[in-house]
Amino acid sequence: MEIVILAVVIAVVLVGAVSGLVIGGRRKKQLPPAERPSAAPTITTPPAEPRVGDEAETPRDESRRTIEEVDLPTAEAPEAPPAEAEPAPAAPEVEVPEPTEGRLVRLRARLARSQNALGKGLLTLLSREHLDEDTWEEIEDTLLTADVGVAPTQELVERLRERVRVLGTRTPQELRTLLREELLKLIATDAPRAVKTDNGLETPAVVMVVGVNGTGKTTTTGKLARVLVADGKSVVLGAADTFRAAAADQLQTWGERVGARTVRGPEGGDPASIAFDAVKEGIAEHADVVLIDTAGRLHTKAGLMDELGKVKRVVEKQAPLDEVLLVLDATTGQNGLVQARVFAEVVNITGIVLTKLDGTAKGGIVVAVQRELGVPVKLIGLGEGPDDLAPFDPEAFVDALIGD
């Protein structure tokens, strides 16, 4: 009996062992090699960035952080560099103009070259021992060449003939005195020669300067401002020449030199409006004189001359017009008289300013223009300097022409 039980137990053990082997074999066949668990992957640090030149070296292992671990700086607006304060433009230095009394002293030297054509030429002819018809014709030619004009020349020659005949023997000093007296008769006029700068009213004196392009009109206006400031007057300038490029800048520069304010407008603006504003500002500032520089008019253009008349009418709505000065180039001779006639028809000219009179043989234009317009020459331009504008003095002018 014990043997049977032992045999059964051994049989059961054997069956169980065989069954385990079979099941294990099947499990090994179901697992493919790809699904076997692999070892953990090895992470390789990327090589360091290559270096160049002196920094080149063998790359080393460096620790790297992910983008999440890196603290990025917040974006801030770049600070603008502190703005440097622009230096304020330096105020122009105010000049002290030369007194008008001393300017006529230079008249002789300025007109020295004119003596050869007019003064000295006449004295040389009159000093001849025999004054025949040919000599008197030469005297007439000398006067005409100097732009004295036909009628004044004939008048002067007739008077000289008569006085030389009565005088008889003529010494150089007698001839000089004779010629001086006769020239003064031609040039002298009863009209006042001073520029009117005091009208006795509460409004400032208003002076309008007119003339053809190229006569030195704007420059003359600036120089006149210097003359008035030198005489103790306060001046406001009106830059009503809006057609010529940089005319307003030029006038403003003249004004700044002597501390005179300039009223101006846009280039190509309405000249009448600017002239109106200048007078208005002059009244508000209690200025003594308002000088208005007008555009250079071509006397052959009717439309432009009509506009000049408009400027005059608009100005007179603010204050009376005390002076209208016509600027003439002394070197233009008789052509200047044509210009003067047309301007006189548009505006009531009260005085003449002769420019470029220094060293010219055309001194006789003083006589012709006064005879033509019936108005006096009030100012003469003696040169290019800022103080080379002087009141006209007939005696000093004649003395400069005939010399000592």
Side-chain angles (χ1 to χ4, degrees):
M1 188 66 180
E2 290 177 357
I3 296 174
V4 173
I5 294 170
L6 180 62
V8 172
V9 171
I10 292 173
V12 172
V13 172
L14 291 173
V15 171
V18 172
S19 298
L21 291 174
V22 172
I23 294 171
R26 290 179 179 178
R27 286 180 179 176
K28 290 180 181 179
K29 291 179 181 180
Q30 291 175 355
L31 291 176
E35 293 183 3
R36 294 177 183 176
S38 59
T42 302
I43 298 176
T44 304
T45 303
E49 295 180 358
R51 311 255 178 131
V52 180
D54 294 338
E55 296 183 353
E57 61 182 14
T58 304
R60 297 172 301 177
D61 293 339
E62 298 179 359
S63 60
R64 299 282 178 164
R65 291 183 296 172
T66 63
I67 191 169
E68 290 81 4
E69 297 174 334
V70 177
D71 295 329
L72 299 177
T74 57
E76 296 181 359
E79 294 184 2
E84 296 182 1
E86 295 184 1
E93 183 178 351
V94 177
E95 302 174 7
V96 179
E98 180 181 336
T100 55
E101 291 79 5
R103 299 183 183 189
L104 290 176
V105 176
R106 303 194 306 270
L107 185 59
R108 252 179 231 273
R110 297 284 182 173
L111 297 176
R113 283 173 290 176
S114 297
Q115 298 175 12
N116 295 330
L118 185 55
K120 283 188 175 180
L122 292 176
L123 286 174
T124 300
L125 293 172
L126 290 173
S127 298
R128 290 181 180 177
E129 185 176 354
H130 299 289
L131 296 178
D132 53 17
E133 288 300 321
D134 291 340
T135 301
W136 287 112
E137 287 183 5
E138 289 184 47
I139 292 174
E140 286 187 1
D141 291 341
T142 300
L143 292 169
L144 291 174
T145 302
D147 285 329
V148 174
V150 176
T153 294
Q154 293 175 346
E155 180 182 330
L156 177 59
V157 169
E158 288 301 320
R159 289 205 302 261
L160 288 174
R161 276 176 178 262
E162 182 64 24
R163 295 194 62 178
V164 168
R165 186 165 43 248
V166 172
L167 185 63
T169 304
R170 307 172 303 280
T171 65
Q173 185 59 40
E174 287 174 336
L175 285 174
R176 182 173 289 102
T177 301
L178 171 64
L179 185 58
R180 182 179 187 276
E181 292 174 355
E182 294 301 326
L183 286 174
L184 279 175
K185 288 180 182 179
L186 284 180
I187 295 175
T189 175
D190 296 333
R193 293 190 182 274
V195 177
K196 189 176 181 181
T197 57
D198 186 2
N199 55 16
L201 304 175
E202 295 182 358
T203 56
V206 181
V207 179
M208 188 164 72
V209 183
V210 301
V212 177
N213 288 323
T215 58
K217 180 176 46 56
T218 300
T219 300
T220 297
T221 305
K223 290 182 178 181
L224 179 56
R226 295 179 66 89
V227 170
L228 297 176
V229 170
D231 291 339
K233 303 288 185 181
S234 58
V235 179
V236 171
L237 297 172
D241 185 353
T242 60
F243 295 100
R244 185 172 66 86
D249 293 335
Q250 181 184 358
L251 187 64
Q252 184 170 349
T253 300
W254 279 104
E256 289 174 347
R257 290 178 179 177
V258 292
R261 198 167 79 82
T262 302
V263 177
R264 56 184 296 178
E267 186 174 340
D270 182 18
S273 175
I274 297 171
F276 182 88
D277 290 341
V279 177
K280 184 178 179 180
E281 291 295 327
I283 295 173
E285 296 180 10
H286 303 287
D288 295 319
V289 185
V290 176
L291 294 178
I292 301 174
D293 176 35
T294 60
R297 304 298 173 185
L298 296 175
H299 59 284
T300 56
K301 300 294 182 66
L304 295 178
M305 295 302 293
D306 291 342
E307 187 173 340
L308 183 61
K310 175 187 173 183
V311 173
K312 176 179 180 293
R313 292 190 301 271
V314 169
V315 166
E316 290 175 333
K317 292 180 181 180
Q318 283 280 351
L321 192 58
D322 298 280
E323 287 273 11
V324 178
L325 299 178
L326 174 62
V327 180
L328 292 177
D329 184 341
T331 62
T332 60
Q334 296 298 311
N335 186 48
L337 298 182
V338 178
Q339 302 170 9
R341 294 189 198 105
V342 179
F343 277 97
E345 294 174 0
V346 179
V347 290
N348 182 28
I349 296 173
T350 59
I352 304 296
V353 182
L354 280 176
T355 63
K356 306 178 186 179
L357 198 58
D358 55 311
T360 176
K362 303 295 186 178
I365 192 64
V366 174
V367 177
V369 73
Q370 288 186 153
R371 289 290 187 93
E372 179 69 27
L373 299 180
V375 296
V377 173
K378 294 191 173 184
L379 298 164
I380 53 175
L382 305 177
E384 299 298 330
D387 293 317
D388 287 340
L389 184 72
F392 180 71
D393 184 340
E395 292 188 1
F397 181 74
V398 171
D399 287 342
L401 288 180
I402 63 177
D404 296 328

